[in-house]
Amino acid sequence: MNPLPALARALGTQPWVMKLAKVVVWVDHRLHRVFRGRVSLVGIAGLPSLRLTATGRKSGLPRSHNLLYFPYRDGFVLVGSNWGRPQNPAWTINLRANPEATIEVRGKEIPVRATLVEGEGYDELWRRVVKFWPGYEMERVAAGRELPIFLLTPETATRNVDE
């Protein structure tokens, strides 16, 4: 059994870890580039990670971010924690403006549709993601805001439901 996920979850609840955000993001981008999406810091820690590419709300250009995700049903859950900063991360604003995006998981590209989770669904999913990644509660308190939660559904699953 891999001890790294438990270690990562324990470290993720330490306030000093949020101060390392810029370094972690920089290293993770370099790993993604060198290993063509097959290696990430989150992945090394034994946790699920993906690379989200969404359309920039203002620029219209593709914007990519490496993120921890929570596997849920046939989709992917993302939490807009922004490392405990008071403002939402840019990718959340971009997904609200245009919910069509692409994710890369273990080198495989998947078109997805993002849905902002609200109401009772939010409360239920929040309990699940905090159990999965306890650091989200610390980041919510530090940010002083409700952290947005998005459910990303693969486009093929969305089409099948709509048809």
Side-chain angles (χ1 to χ4, degrees):
M1 184 162 192
N2 184 353
L4 291 179
L7 176 61
R9 285 182 177 93
L11 289 174
T13 62
Q14 302 303 308
W16 58 267
V17 171
M18 291 187 293
K19 294 177 183 171
L20 298 175
K22 287 184 181 182
V23 173
V24 170
V25 170
W26 184 87
V27 170
D28 209 37
H29 279 290
R30 295 322 173 269
L31 285 172
H32 184 273
R33 186 175 295 147
V34 170
F35 292 100
R36 297 184 179 168
R38 291 184 202 90
V39 176
S40 71
L41 285 178
V42 173
I44 290 169
L47 297 166
S49 68
L50 59 77
R51 182 169 180 87
L52 170 70
T53 301
T55 303
R57 177 179 58 97
K58 291 182 181 179
S59 71
L61 298 173
R63 303 292 185 204
S64 298
H65 306 273
N66 296 344
L67 303 166
L68 170 70
Y69 75 88
F70 171 62
Y72 184 69
R73 297 182 180 159
D74 66 343
F76 310 82
V77 174
L78 301 179
V79 177
S81 68
N82 205 15
W83 296 82
R85 293 184 185 109
Q87 70 279 5
N88 286 324
W91 63 263
T92 65
I93 297 165
N94 293 338
L95 285 181
R96 287 177 188 195
N98 181 1
E100 305 296 324
T102 302
I103 60 171
E104 186 178 333
V105 179
R106 292 181 293 280
K108 180 181 176 188
E109 285 195 13
I110 304 167
V112 294
R113 179 167 187 81
T115 304
L116 179 64
V117 179
E118 299 177 294
E120 288 180 27
Y122 180 94
D123 297 337
E124 163 67 18
L125 209 43
W126 177 253
R127 284 189 290 278
R128 290 176 183 249
V129 297
V130 168
K131 186 175 180 182
F132 169 75
W133 186 255
Y136 285 140
E137 182 58 31
M138 174 191 65
E139 293 177 42
R140 183 193 63 78
V141 170
R145 61 182 168 82
E146 184 176 84
L147 304 182
I149 298 176
F150 286 86
L151 174 61
L152 306 182
T153 307
E155 280 294 332
T156 54
T158 304
R159 282 192 209 110
N160 290 340
V161 169
D162 293 340
E163 292 175 356

